[in-house]
Amino acid sequence: MSEFSMTIDGGEVATEKSFLVTNPATGEVFAEAPEPSRAQVDQAMNAAARAFESWQYDRPLRQKALEDLASAVEANLEELAEIITME
């Protein structure tokens, strides 16, 4: 079973709770995902708002981040496709 982590403000964050992810076609549990607290959701939203202040004006950085993301997706395409299909 896969376990996933949560990232806030660039760092991995532990949660007190998690939830099971079930493949609706088979009913099989295939992963466990973090369940953030209300405070963690607020923390993530505040971090995103702070990042947006500088991020919105740095087009080269945004472009590089999107290119890096596209490369990561392409490099892990089969695994991502399998996870998305099961979800």
Side-chain angles (χ1 to χ4, degrees), residues 33-69:
E35 183 176 326
S37 67
R38 184 175 297 219
Q40 287 172 318
V41 171
D42 289 342
Q43 182 184 6
M45 294 302 294
N46 290 333
R50 282 192 314 275
F52 181 72
E53 291 303 315
S54 61
W55 178 261
Q56 66 181 319
Y57 300 111
D58 195 339
R59 182 180 174 146
L61 180 63
R62 291 193 333 259
Q63 183 174 353
K64 173 139 178 31
L66 289 172
E67 289 169 353
D68 290 349
L69 174 63

Side-chain angles (χ1 to χ4, degrees), residues 11-56:
E12 190 170 322
V13 178
T15 60
E16 291 183 19
K17 296 180 180 180
S18 61
F19 62 92
L20 300 177
V21 183
T22 304
N23 179 331
T26 64
E28 177 185 346
V29 172
F30 70 93
E32 187 172 348
E35 183 176 326
S37 67
R38 184 175 297 219
Q40 287 172 318
V41 171
D42 289 342
Q43 182 184 6
M45 294 302 294
N46 290 333
R50 282 192 314 275
F52 181 72
E53 291 303 315
S54 61
W55 178 261
Q56 66 181 319

Side-chain angles (χ1 to χ4, degrees), residues 3-7 12-13 32-34:
E3 291 185 26
F4 298 95
S5 62
M6 186 171 64
T7 303
E12 190 170 322
V13 178
E32 187 172 348

Side-chain angles (χ1 to χ4, degrees), residues 1-4 30-31 71-87:
M1 177 166 52
S2 299
E3 291 185 26
F4 298 95
F30 70 93
S71 293
V73 168
E74 288 174 352
N76 296 283
L77 196 56
E78 288 185 31
E79 181 182 6
L80 290 169
E82 184 179 326
I83 291 169
I84 290 168
T85 300
M86 286 190 299
E87 188 179 36

